[in-house]
Amino acid sequence: RAFMSWIHNLGELYAKNLLLHIVFTFLQSVVFWFGDLNFRIADHGMHFVREAISKSQLSLLWEKDQLNLAKKKEGILQGFMEGPLLFKPTYKFDLHSDTYDTSEKKRKPAWTDRILWKLKNVSQVLPEEDTKSEEDSPFTVALNNYISHMCYDISDHKPVTGTFMLQFKPLVFAPLVTLEPEGEWSADKETVLCYSTVPDFPSSTWDWIGLYKVAFRHIHDYATYAWVKDNEISRNGNVKQVYINADEIPRDGGKFILCYYCHNLQSLTGISQPFQINPAPLLEKNYLDENPNESDGINRSKWSEMTLE
């Protein structure tokens, strides 16, 4: 819900296209396969398997794990990834215990419960890998952890979970519009900002630049705005200057950012770095400037009453 609220701020049309692109890319690129896949440990006998488990020598069992063997032979499994099996086999336990099967069948422990994933033309990162694939891709996927939960005992299986991080790369690597304030800004002075756009940027006379408090929540939360065409005062090649009237700047100053709204794209297409606007001089100084005869004998208690009113 918070994500949808955020992308709505970028402009409804752009947001819908962005969300559709993300969903489509994800569905086309990622496959998760998980559950009780019922693969067992081949060749090794019961005594060897249990001994390896009790001595925490799980690596002795990996090469005979049927899923690992199948991934090397079966074409349908090519490309599927799995985290390291650093937890004990999750099957088969006596109910309500951490004891492997003591029934007459005495089933051999096995990693039957698995989580695999497969990505098409996407970077894949395992926890022990230090470098990511350099392949050009819309996002990267990293496995953060792959663990079993021995505390659950209502089944003869122990549940397994995997936590993944999917990070989408920026759809636009360079901003369409670059903005920055010129000089030091003060709430009692007219201010100037400059901006530049990428070639073939679809600007229009309805584009505007908004002044926002840092951490604004909605595109309409601007303190003030300026039409880029009407308020333009100069241009030098692709760099243009726009002014904002001092009367429209918040008097108390603070941390602000500038945002460029493109009418044709119906979205914010440029955001400046945060910058400081100095507050307007104190009301007392303004009062004394307007009433110089009272500068030496002003009644401070009267001044306090005036400011409170």
Side-chain angles (χ1 to χ4, degrees):
R1 185 176 299 175
F3 175 72
M4 288 300 297
S5 176
W6 177 75
I7 61 175
H8 178 73
N9 295 343
L10 302 182
E12 185 175 354
L13 180 60
Y14 178 78
K16 287 180 179 179
N17 290 337
L18 173 62
L19 183 59
L20 287 174
H21 176 84
I22 291 174
V23 172
F24 179 78
T25 302
F26 181 81
L27 294 177
Q28 292 293 314
S29 303
V30 185
V31 176
F32 285 98
W33 181 34
F34 56 91
D36 177 9
L37 306 185
N38 207 31
F39 288 98
R40 306 303 176 94
I41 296 174
D43 298 340
H44 294 313
M46 171 73 75
H47 178 75
F48 182 90
V49 171
R50 292 201 175 191
E51 187 75 7
I53 296 172
S54 65
K55 293 182 179 180
S56 298
Q57 296 177 329
L58 301 179
S59 59
L60 298 177
L61 308 177
W62 293 345
E63 64 178 14
K64 294 299 182 178
D65 173 74
Q66 291 179 342
L67 177 55
N68 288 335
L69 294 172
K71 285 168 63 179
K72 298 176 182 179
K73 298 179 181 179
E74 303 296 335
I76 195 173
L77 296 177
Q78 294 301 308
F80 274 98
M81 304 281 289
E82 184 182 19
L85 297 171
L86 301 179
F87 49 87
K88 297 195 299 183
T90 56
Y91 177 83
K92 176 184 193 242
F93 291 87
D94 291 340
L95 290 179
H96 309 297
S97 77
D98 294 336
T99 304
Y100 284 108
D101 188 17
T102 60
S103 68
E104 293 182 0
K105 294 185 177 180
K106 289 187 172 56
R107 293 179 178 83
K108 188 166 54 175
W111 287 289
T112 59
D113 310 283
R114 313 289 278 269
I115 302 173
L116 294 88
W117 74 99
K118 181 178 181 179
L119 295 87
K120 183 178 180 181
N121 298 324
V122 177
S123 301
Q124 306 185 82
V125 184
L126 287 173
E128 67 272 15
E129 292 181 328
D130 295 327
T131 58
K132 298 183 179 181
S133 168
E134 306 233 338
E135 182 182 13
D136 187 19
S137 60
F139 59 87
T140 58
V141 177
L143 175 65
N144 288 344
N145 63 59
Y146 188 37
I147 58 176
S148 67
H149 300 271
M150 297 295 292
C151 59
Y152 293 94
D153 58 11
I154 60 174
S155 169
D156 54 2
H157 293 255
K158 297 298 182 181
V160 173
T161 61
T163 304
F164 296 83
M165 180 175 68
L166 278 70
Q167 183 172 1
F168 282 84
K169 294 183 178 179
L171 299 181
V172 178
F173 292 91
L176 298 178
V177 180
T178 302
L179 309 99
E180 61 180 9
E182 286 203 350
E184 186 176 356
W185 281 33
S186 179
D188 63 331
K189 299 177 182 178
E190 287 195 353
T191 53
V192 176
L193 63 94
C194 63
Y195 75 93
S196 60
T197 62
V198 297
D200 301 321
F201 179 73
S203 62
S204 81
T205 56
W206 297 103
D207 290 1
W208 49 271
I209 295 174
L211 178 68
Y212 293 86
K213 281 275 193 181
V214 171
F216 71 98
R217 298 178 61 87
H218 195 278
I219 195 171
H220 294 147
D221 290 344
Y222 50 77
T224 185
Y225 67 91
W227 297 104
V228 295
K229 300 297 184 182
D230 293 347
N231 288 43
E232 183 178 305
I233 56 177
S234 71
R235 66 170 60 199
N236 182 10
N238 190 39
V239 179
K240 307 174 184 66
Q241 288 184 317
V242 173
Y243 79 90
I244 297 180
N245 194 296
D247 294 337
E248 299 171 343
I249 298 177
R251 305 291 287 173
D252 55 352
K255 280 280 189 181
F256 287 83
I257 57 175
L258 297 165
C259 297
Y260 188 107
Y261 182 84
C262 176
H263 176 76
N264 287 329
L265 295 179
Q266 292 287 294
S267 68
L268 297 178
T269 52
I271 300 177
S272 75
Q273 292 294 322
F275 63 96
Q276 181 71 35
I277 295 181
N278 297 322
L282 296 175
L283 294 176
E284 180 176 359
K285 183 177 184 301
N286 291 342
Y287 177 82
L288 294 177
D289 288 343
E290 296 172 2
N291 301 273
N293 294 333
E294 298 188 30
S295 60
D296 296 328
I298 186 171
N299 186 316
R300 296 293 172 178
S301 61
K302 180 179 179 181
W303 166 254
S304 299
E305 294 176 5
M306 291 170 60
T307 55
L308 289 174
E309 292 175 357

PDB file of all heavy atoms in Angstrom, residues 62-75:
ATOM      1  N   TRP A  62      26.248 -34.111   0.382  1.00  0.00           N
ATOM      2  CA  TRP A  62      25.775 -33.256  -0.710  1.00  0.00           C
ATOM      3  C   TRP A  62      25.903 -33.922  -2.078  1.00  0.00           C
ATOM      4  O   TRP A  62      24.995 -33.827  -2.907  1.00  0.00           O
ATOM      5  CB  TRP A  62      26.553 -31.938  -0.718  1.00  0.00           C
ATOM      6  CG  TRP A  62      26.297 -31.067   0.474  1.00  0.00           C
ATOM      7  CD1 TRP A  62      25.274 -31.177   1.367  1.00  0.00           C
ATOM      8  CD2 TRP A  62      27.095 -29.965   0.907  1.00  0.00           C
ATOM      9  NE1 TRP A  62      25.359 -30.216   2.341  1.00  0.00           N
ATOM     10  CE2 TRP A  62      26.479 -29.449   2.085  1.00  0.00           C
ATOM     11  CE3 TRP A  62      28.255 -29.357   0.434  1.00  0.00           C
ATOM     12  CZ2 TRP A  62      26.999 -28.351   2.774  1.00  0.00           C
ATOM     13  CZ3 TRP A  62      28.766 -28.269   1.119  1.00  0.00           C
ATOM     14  CH2 TRP A  62      28.149 -27.773   2.277  1.00  0.00           C
ATOM     15  N   GLU A  63      27.020 -34.563  -2.322  1.00  0.00           N
ATOM     16  CA  GLU A  63      27.239 -35.104  -3.669  1.00  0.00           C
ATOM     17  C   GLU A  63      26.314 -36.272  -3.989  1.00  0.00           C
ATOM     18  O   GLU A  63      26.144 -36.612  -5.164  1.00  0.00           O
ATOM     19  CB  GLU A  63      28.695 -35.529  -3.831  1.00  0.00           C
ATOM     20  CG  GLU A  63      29.122 -36.676  -2.925  1.00  0.00           C
ATOM     21  CD  GLU A  63      30.563 -37.095  -3.158  1.00  0.00           C
ATOM     22  OE1 GLU A  63      31.302 -36.327  -3.819  1.00  0.00           O
ATOM     23  OE2 GLU A  63      30.940 -38.177  -2.690  1.00  0.00           O
ATOM     24  N   LYS A  64      25.698 -36.872  -2.974  1.00  0.00           N
ATOM     25  CA  LYS A  64      24.764 -37.964  -3.213  1.00  0.00           C
ATOM     26  C   LYS A  64      23.308 -37.526  -3.055  1.00  0.00           C
ATOM     27  O   LYS A  64      22.399 -38.351  -3.090  1.00  0.00           O
ATOM     28  CB  LYS A  64      25.055 -39.124  -2.253  1.00  0.00           C
ATOM     29  CG  LYS A  64      26.410 -39.797  -2.505  1.00  0.00           C
ATOM     30  CD  LYS A  64      26.477 -40.395  -3.908  1.00  0.00           C
ATOM     31  CE  LYS A  64      27.798 -41.114  -4.140  1.00  0.00           C
ATOM     32  NZ  LYS A  64      27.867 -41.739  -5.493  1.00  0.00           N
ATOM     33  N   ASP A  65      23.121 -36.232  -2.881  1.00  0.00           N
ATOM     34  CA  ASP A  65      21.753 -35.716  -2.833  1.00  0.00           C
ATOM     35  C   ASP A  65      21.141 -35.841  -4.225  1.00  0.00           C
ATOM     36  O   ASP A  65      21.732 -35.403  -5.223  1.00  0.00           O
ATOM     37  CB  ASP A  65      21.767 -34.248  -2.385  1.00  0.00           C
ATOM     38  CG  ASP A  65      20.406 -33.597  -2.485  1.00  0.00           C
ATOM     39  OD1 ASP A  65      19.535 -33.891  -1.659  1.00  0.00           O
ATOM     40  OD2 ASP A  65      20.213 -32.801  -3.439  1.00  0.00           O
ATOM     41  N   GLN A  66      19.971 -36.449  -4.312  1.00  0.00           N
ATOM     42  CA  GLN A  66      19.377 -36.751  -5.621  1.00  0.00           C
ATOM     43  C   GLN A  66      19.060 -35.505  -6.429  1.00  0.00           C
ATOM     44  O   GLN A  66      19.147 -35.524  -7.663  1.00  0.00           O
ATOM     45  CB  GLN A  66      18.114 -37.602  -5.431  1.00  0.00           C
ATOM     46  CG  GLN A  66      18.386 -39.010  -4.949  1.00  0.00           C
ATOM     47  CD  GLN A  66      17.110 -39.802  -4.752  1.00  0.00           C
ATOM     48  OE1 GLN A  66      16.019 -39.231  -4.647  1.00  0.00           O
ATOM     49  NE2 GLN A  66      17.237 -41.117  -4.682  1.00  0.00           N
ATOM     50  N   LEU A  67      18.708 -34.417  -5.773  1.00  0.00           N
ATOM     51  CA  LEU A  67      18.427 -33.190  -6.508  1.00  0.00           C
ATOM     52  C   LEU A  67      19.708 -32.633  -7.123  1.00  0.00           C
ATOM     53  O   LEU A  67      19.718 -32.202  -8.280  1.00  0.00           O
ATOM     54  CB  LEU A  67      17.772 -32.146  -5.598  1.00  0.00           C
ATOM     55  CG  LEU A  67      17.481 -30.785  -6.230  1.00  0.00           C
ATOM     56  CD1 LEU A  67      16.641 -30.915  -7.489  1.00  0.00           C
ATOM     57  CD2 LEU A  67      16.791 -29.849  -5.236  1.00  0.00           C
ATOM     58  N   ASN A  68      20.790 -32.621  -6.368  1.00  0.00           N
ATOM     59  CA  ASN A  68      22.060 -32.160  -6.915  1.00  0.00           C
ATOM     60  C   ASN A  68      22.501 -33.019  -8.094  1.00  0.00           C
ATOM     61  O   ASN A  68      23.031 -32.516  -9.091  1.00  0.00           O
ATOM     62  CB  ASN A  68      23.133 -32.160  -5.831  1.00  0.00           C
ATOM     63  CG  ASN A  68      22.941 -31.039  -4.816  1.00  0.00           C
ATOM     64  OD1 ASN A  68      22.328 -30.014  -5.128  1.00  0.00           O
ATOM     65  ND2 ASN A  68      23.444 -31.238  -3.613  1.00  0.00           N
ATOM     66  N   LEU A  69      22.269 -34.323  -7.997  1.00  0.00           N
ATOM     67  CA  LEU A  69      22.612 -35.221  -9.096  1.00  0.00           C
ATOM     68  C   LEU A  69      21.738 -34.948 -10.323  1.00  0.00           C
ATOM     69  O   LEU A  69      22.229 -34.931 -11.456  1.00  0.00           O
ATOM     70  CB  LEU A  69      22.456 -36.674  -8.641  1.00  0.00           C
ATOM     71  CG  LEU A  69      23.423 -37.154  -7.551  1.00  0.00           C
ATOM     72  CD1 LEU A  69      23.024 -38.543  -7.062  1.00  0.00           C
ATOM     73  CD2 LEU A  69      24.857 -37.161  -8.075  1.00  0.00           C
ATOM     74  N   ALA A  70      20.448 -34.717 -10.076  1.00  0.00           N
ATOM     75  CA  ALA A  70      19.518 -34.491 -11.177  1.00  0.00           C
ATOM     76  C   ALA A  70      19.810 -33.180 -11.899  1.00  0.00           C
ATOM     77  O   ALA A  70      19.640 -33.072 -13.124  1.00  0.00           O
ATOM     78  CB  ALA A  70      18.090 -34.506 -10.666  1.00  0.00           C
ATOM     79  N   LYS A  71      20.261 -32.154 -11.160  1.00  0.00           N
ATOM     80  CA  LYS A  71      20.558 -30.861 -11.780  1.00  0.00           C
ATOM     81  C   LYS A  71      21.697 -30.968 -12.796  1.00  0.00           C
ATOM     82  O   LYS A  71      21.783 -30.171 -13.731  1.00  0.00           O
ATOM     83  CB  LYS A  71      20.913 -29.836 -10.695  1.00  0.00           C
ATOM     84  CG  LYS A  71      19.703 -29.332  -9.919  1.00  0.00           C
ATOM     85  CD  LYS A  71      20.113 -28.560  -8.675  1.00  0.00           C
ATOM     86  CE  LYS A  71      20.891 -27.315  -9.020  1.00  0.00           C
ATOM     87  NZ  LYS A  71      21.269 -26.558  -7.802  1.00  0.00           N
ATOM     88  N   LYS A  72      22.569 -31.958 -12.618  1.00  0.00           N
ATOM     89  CA  LYS A  72      23.679 -32.141 -13.544  1.00  0.00           C
ATOM     90  C   LYS A  72      23.264 -32.896 -14.805  1.00  0.00           C
ATOM     91  O   LYS A  72      23.942 -32.807 -15.828  1.00  0.00           O
ATOM     92  CB  LYS A  72      24.809 -32.896 -12.845  1.00  0.00           C
ATOM     93  CG  LYS A  72      25.409 -32.164 -11.647  1.00  0.00           C
ATOM     94  CD  LYS A  72      26.452 -33.023 -10.955  1.00  0.00           C
ATOM     95  CE  LYS A  72      27.025 -32.319  -9.726  1.00  0.00           C
ATOM     96  NZ  LYS A  72      28.021 -33.188  -9.037  1.00  0.00           N
ATOM     97  N   LYS A  73      22.146 -33.624 -14.732  1.00  0.00           N
ATOM     98  CA  LYS A  73      21.766 -34.502 -15.843  1.00  0.00           C
ATOM     99  C   LYS A  73      20.508 -34.057 -16.565  1.00  0.00           C
ATOM    100  O   LYS A  73      20.413 -34.187 -17.782  1.00  0.00           O
ATOM    101  CB  LYS A  73      21.568 -35.928 -15.315  1.00  0.00           C
ATOM    102  CG  LYS A  73      22.811 -36.551 -14.706  1.00  0.00           C
ATOM    103  CD  LYS A  73      22.508 -37.958 -14.186  1.00  0.00           C
ATOM    104  CE  LYS A  73      23.733 -38.602 -13.557  1.00  0.00           C
ATOM    105  NZ  LYS A  73      23.436 -39.963 -13.039  1.00  0.00           N
ATOM    106  N   GLU A  74      19.526 -33.564 -15.817  1.00  0.00           N
ATOM    107  CA  GLU A  74      18.222 -33.272 -16.392  1.00  0.00           C
ATOM    108  C   GLU A  74      18.183 -31.854 -16.956  1.00  0.00           C
ATOM    109  O   GLU A  74      18.414 -30.879 -16.241  1.00  0.00           O
ATOM    110  CB  GLU A  74      17.125 -33.449 -15.339  1.00  0.00           C
ATOM    111  CG  GLU A  74      17.084 -34.827 -14.701  1.00  0.00           C
ATOM    112  CD  GLU A  74      16.754 -35.916 -15.697  1.00  0.00           C
ATOM    113  OE1 GLU A  74      16.111 -35.599 -16.731  1.00  0.00           O
ATOM    114  OE2 GLU A  74      17.123 -37.069 -15.456  1.00  0.00           O
ATOM    115  N   GLY A  75      17.865 -31.756 -18.242  1.00  0.00           N
ATOM    116  CA  GLY A  75      17.826 -30.450 -18.885  1.00  0.00           C
ATOM    117  C   GLY A  75      16.810 -29.511 -18.279  1.00  0.00           C
ATOM    118  O   GLY A  75      17.023 -28.296 -18.230  1.00  0.00           O
TER     119      GLY A  75
END
